[in-house]
Amino acid sequence: MIDRFLAARDTVEPPLDDAELVGILLGSVLGADQNILSVASKIAYVLLCRPVLWRRLAAEPGIAPRLVDELIRLIPLGNISAFPRIAGRRIELADGGVEEGDVVYPDAFAANRDPEVFPEPLLIDPDRTGKRHLQFGYGMHHCMGAALARMEIAELLTTLAAEFPTLTLDTDPAGLTWDSGVVLRRPVTLPVRW
Protein backbone atom coordinates (compact mmCIF):
# COMPACT_ATOMS: atom_id res chain seq x y z
CA MET A 1 0.00 0.00 0.00
CA ILE A 2 2.84 2.39 0.85
CA ASP A 3 4.50 1.67 -2.51
CA ARG A 4 1.22 2.40 -4.32
CA PHE A 5 0.78 5.72 -2.51
CA LEU A 6 4.37 6.71 -3.29
CA ALA A 7 4.01 5.75 -6.95
CA ALA A 8 0.76 7.72 -7.30
CA ARG A 9 1.70 10.80 -5.25
CA ASP A 10 2.29 12.94 -8.36
CA THR A 11 -0.93 11.91 -10.11
CA VAL A 12 -3.08 14.27 -8.02
CA GLU A 13 -3.18 18.05 -8.10
CA PRO A 14 -1.38 19.30 -6.12
CA PRO A 15 0.98 16.36 -5.60
CA LEU A 16 1.00 14.84 -2.09
CA ASP A 17 3.92 15.84 0.09
CA ASP A 18 5.53 13.56 2.70
CA ALA A 19 3.42 14.93 5.58
CA GLU A 20 0.18 14.28 3.65
CA LEU A 21 1.30 10.76 2.75
CA VAL A 22 2.18 10.00 6.37
CA GLY A 23 -1.23 11.34 7.46
CA ILE A 24 -3.07 9.13 4.97
CA LEU A 25 -1.06 6.06 5.92
CA LEU A 26 -1.45 6.68 9.65
CA GLY A 27 -5.19 7.20 9.13
CA SER A 28 -5.39 3.97 7.16
CA VAL A 29 -3.53 1.93 9.77
CA LEU A 30 -5.40 3.42 12.73
CA GLY A 31 -8.69 3.59 10.85
CA ALA A 32 -8.61 -0.01 9.73
CA ASP A 33 -6.38 -2.52 11.43
CA GLN A 34 -6.01 -1.12 14.94
CA ASN A 35 -9.53 0.30 15.18
CA ILE A 36 -11.09 -2.97 14.11
CA LEU A 37 -8.96 -4.94 16.58
CA SER A 38 -9.73 -2.53 19.42
CA VAL A 39 -13.45 -2.18 18.72
CA ALA A 40 -13.98 -5.90 18.02
CA SER A 41 -12.31 -6.92 21.27
CA LYS A 42 -14.32 -4.36 23.28
CA ILE A 43 -17.59 -5.41 21.64
CA ALA A 44 -16.80 -9.09 22.33
CA TYR A 45 -16.03 -8.10 25.95
CA VAL A 46 -19.39 -6.32 26.33
CA LEU A 47 -21.34 -9.18 24.72
CA LEU A 48 -19.64 -11.74 26.96
CA CYS A 49 -20.34 -9.60 30.03
CA ARG A 50 -24.01 -9.46 28.93
CA PRO A 51 -24.74 -13.10 28.04
CA VAL A 52 -28.31 -12.31 26.99
CA LEU A 53 -26.86 -10.25 24.12
CA TRP A 54 -24.41 -13.02 23.14
CA ARG A 55 -27.22 -15.58 23.10
CA ARG A 56 -29.41 -13.28 21.03
CA LEU A 57 -26.60 -12.82 18.50
CA ALA A 58 -26.14 -16.61 18.31
CA ALA A 59 -29.89 -17.12 17.82
CA GLU A 60 -30.41 -14.15 15.46
CA PRO A 61 -27.24 -13.59 13.41
CA GLY A 62 -29.07 -11.02 11.28
CA ILE A 63 -28.90 -8.53 14.16
CA ALA A 64 -25.09 -8.41 14.00
CA PRO A 65 -24.79 -5.21 11.92
CA ARG A 66 -27.30 -3.35 14.11
CA LEU A 67 -25.81 -4.71 17.33
CA VAL A 68 -22.30 -3.73 16.22
CA ASP A 69 -23.43 -0.23 15.30
CA GLU A 70 -25.24 0.20 18.62
CA LEU A 71 -22.16 -0.89 20.54
CA ILE A 72 -19.91 1.34 18.43
CA ARG A 73 -22.20 4.21 19.48
CA LEU A 74 -21.65 3.42 23.16
CA ILE A 75 -18.05 2.21 23.32
CA PRO A 76 -15.39 4.86 22.90
CA LEU A 77 -12.50 3.97 20.63
CA GLY A 78 -9.94 5.33 23.04
CA ASN A 79 -9.45 7.92 25.72
CA ILE A 80 -10.10 10.92 23.49
CA SER A 81 -13.54 11.60 22.08
CA ALA A 82 -12.51 13.00 18.71
CA PHE A 83 -9.52 14.61 17.11
CA PRO A 84 -9.35 18.38 17.59
CA ARG A 85 -10.73 20.69 14.94
CA ILE A 86 -9.93 24.30 14.11
CA ALA A 87 -12.89 26.66 13.79
CA GLY A 88 -13.11 28.04 10.28
CA ARG A 89 -15.34 30.92 11.36
CA ARG A 90 -16.70 32.54 14.52
CA ILE A 91 -19.60 30.61 16.06
CA GLU A 92 -21.89 31.89 18.80
CA LEU A 93 -22.97 29.25 21.34
CA ALA A 94 -25.26 29.40 24.39
CA ASP A 95 -22.19 29.49 26.69
CA GLY A 96 -20.15 31.96 24.67
CA GLY A 97 -18.39 32.09 21.36
CA VAL A 98 -15.77 30.14 19.44
CA GLU A 99 -13.46 32.37 17.49
CA GLU A 100 -12.11 31.61 14.03
CA GLY A 101 -8.85 29.70 14.48
CA ASP A 102 -9.76 28.36 17.95
CA VAL A 103 -9.00 24.71 18.60
CA VAL A 104 -12.24 22.82 19.35
CA TYR A 105 -12.45 19.39 20.94
CA PRO A 106 -15.77 17.83 19.92
CA ASP A 107 -17.30 15.48 22.48
CA ALA A 108 -18.63 12.51 20.51
CA PHE A 109 -18.94 10.56 23.79
CA ALA A 110 -21.52 13.04 25.10
CA ALA A 111 -23.26 13.39 21.73
CA ASN A 112 -23.66 9.62 21.40
CA ARG A 113 -25.27 9.49 24.85
CA ASP A 114 -27.52 12.53 24.49
CA PRO A 115 -30.95 11.45 25.83
CA GLU A 116 -32.67 13.96 23.53
CA VAL A 117 -31.20 12.12 20.53
CA PHE A 118 -30.95 8.56 21.89
CA PRO A 119 -33.74 7.73 24.38
CA GLU A 120 -32.36 5.63 27.24
CA PRO A 121 -28.86 6.28 25.86
CA LEU A 122 -27.02 3.71 28.01
CA LEU A 123 -29.38 0.88 27.05
CA ILE A 124 -27.83 -1.47 24.47
CA ASP A 125 -30.67 -1.76 21.96
CA PRO A 126 -29.84 -3.34 18.58
CA ASP A 127 -33.38 -2.46 17.47
CA ARG A 128 -32.82 1.27 18.06
CA THR A 129 -33.87 3.53 15.19
CA GLY A 130 -33.34 7.21 14.64
CA LYS A 131 -30.29 9.39 14.30
CA ARG A 132 -26.81 8.13 13.47
CA HIS A 133 -24.09 8.21 16.07
CA LEU A 134 -20.93 10.27 15.68
CA GLN A 135 -18.34 7.67 16.69
CA PHE A 136 -16.92 7.64 13.14
CA GLY A 137 -17.11 11.40 12.76
CA TYR A 138 -19.32 13.20 10.28
CA GLY A 139 -19.11 14.75 6.82
CA MET A 140 -15.61 15.39 5.53
CA HIS A 141 -14.24 14.13 8.86
CA HIS A 142 -15.96 10.76 8.56
CA CYS A 143 -13.64 7.79 9.18
CA MET A 144 -12.21 6.27 6.00
CA GLY A 145 -12.58 2.75 7.38
CA ALA A 146 -16.09 2.98 8.90
CA ALA A 147 -17.89 0.69 6.45
CA LEU A 148 -15.07 -1.85 6.45
CA ALA A 149 -14.88 -1.80 10.27
CA ARG A 150 -18.63 -2.39 10.63
CA MET A 151 -18.57 -5.22 8.11
CA GLU A 152 -15.49 -6.98 9.54
CA ILE A 153 -16.64 -6.73 13.15
CA ALA A 154 -20.16 -7.96 12.32
CA GLU A 155 -18.74 -10.90 10.33
CA LEU A 156 -16.28 -11.79 13.10
CA LEU A 157 -18.95 -11.75 15.81
CA THR A 158 -21.51 -13.61 13.68
CA THR A 159 -18.96 -16.34 12.97
CA LEU A 160 -17.88 -16.60 16.62
CA ALA A 161 -21.47 -16.72 17.90
CA ALA A 162 -22.45 -19.39 15.35
CA GLU A 163 -19.40 -21.52 16.16
CA PHE A 164 -19.42 -20.92 19.93
CA PRO A 165 -22.99 -20.07 21.04
CA THR A 166 -22.11 -20.92 24.68
CA LEU A 167 -18.96 -18.79 24.76
CA THR A 168 -18.47 -17.00 28.10
CA LEU A 169 -15.86 -14.83 29.71
CA ASP A 170 -13.48 -16.99 31.76
CA THR A 171 -12.39 -14.33 34.24
CA ASP A 172 -13.75 -11.66 36.49
CA PRO A 173 -14.17 -8.62 34.20
CA ALA A 174 -12.75 -6.38 36.93
CA GLY A 175 -9.46 -8.31 36.78
CA LEU A 176 -8.79 -7.72 33.08
CA THR A 177 -5.79 -5.63 32.12
CA TRP A 178 -6.47 -2.91 29.56
CA ASP A 179 -4.14 -1.34 27.00
CA SER A 180 -5.04 2.27 27.63
CA GLY A 181 -3.30 4.46 25.09
CA VAL A 182 -4.25 7.96 24.05
CA VAL A 183 -6.00 6.95 20.85
CA LEU A 184 -6.87 3.28 21.37
CA ARG A 185 -8.11 1.39 24.42
CA ARG A 186 -8.80 -2.35 24.59
CA PRO A 187 -8.41 -5.42 26.81
CA VAL A 188 -4.91 -6.91 26.59
CA THR A 189 -6.38 -10.42 26.80
CA LEU A 190 -9.93 -11.78 26.72
CA PRO A 191 -9.95 -15.25 28.33
CA VAL A 192 -13.00 -17.28 27.27
CA ARG A 193 -14.45 -20.76 27.69
CA TRP A 194 -17.15 -22.79 25.95
Side-chain angles (χ1 to χ4, degrees):
M1 183 172 81
I2 294 170
D3 288 341
R4 287 182 181 173
F5 273 119
L6 288 172
R9 73 186 306 165
D10 295 323
T11 64
V12 296
E13 188 58 42
L16 296 175
D17 62 28
D18 288 346
E20 291 166 323
L21 281 172
V22 168
I24 290 170
L25 293 170
L26 182 60
S28 299
V29 169
L30 285 176
D33 181 58
Q34 291 302 308
N35 281 349
I36 292 169
L37 175 62
S38 292
V39 175
S41 62
K42 287 186 286 196
I43 288 177
Y45 166 79
V46 169
L47 294 176
L48 295 173
C49 286
R50 300 286 186 260
V52 67
L53 291 172
W54 184 262
R55 288 190 300 270
R56 183 169 177 202
L57 176 61
E60 300 174 52
I63 70 160
R66 296 188 322 271
L67 183 58
V68 166
D69 207 50
E70 176 71 350
L71 287 166
I72 287 171
R73 177 184 71 81
L74 282 169
I75 300 171
L77 179 60
N79 292 321
I80 60 171
S81 178
F83 292 109
R85 307 286 192 253
I86 298 175
R89 61 181 171 83
R90 185 182 193 306
I91 301 169
E92 191 62 39
L93 303 170
D95 295 339
V98 174
E99 299 298 327
E100 180 178 346
D102 282 356
V103 176
V104 178
Y105 291 87
D107 193 346
F109 298 160
N112 289 338
R113 291 163 184 78
D114 183 343
E116 292 183 25
V117 179
F118 302 101
E120 296 184 75
L122 298 180
L123 176 69
I124 300 170
D125 180 6
D127 301 314
R128 186 182 299 275
T129 59
K131 302 250 181 187
R132 290 184 330 170
H133 61 76
L134 299 175
Q135 192 63 35
F136 287 119
Y138 185 79
M140 69 182 277
H141 295 288
H142 192 265
C143 175
M144 295 184 288
L148 179 61
R150 284 180 172 111
M151 181 185 70
E152 285 189 22
I153 295 166
E155 183 64 28
L156 168 71
L157 293 172
T158 301
T159 302
L160 281 174
E163 187 72 25
F164 305 104
T166 62
L167 195 68
T168 59
L169 199 56
D170 193 28
T171 190
D172 176 5
L176 283 176
T177 302
W178 288 73
D179 179 356
S180 193
V182 173
V183 178
L184 302 175
R185 182 175 188 275
R186 63 179 172 239
V188 173
T189 61
L190 200 58
V192 296
R193 69 177 179 275
W194 61 93

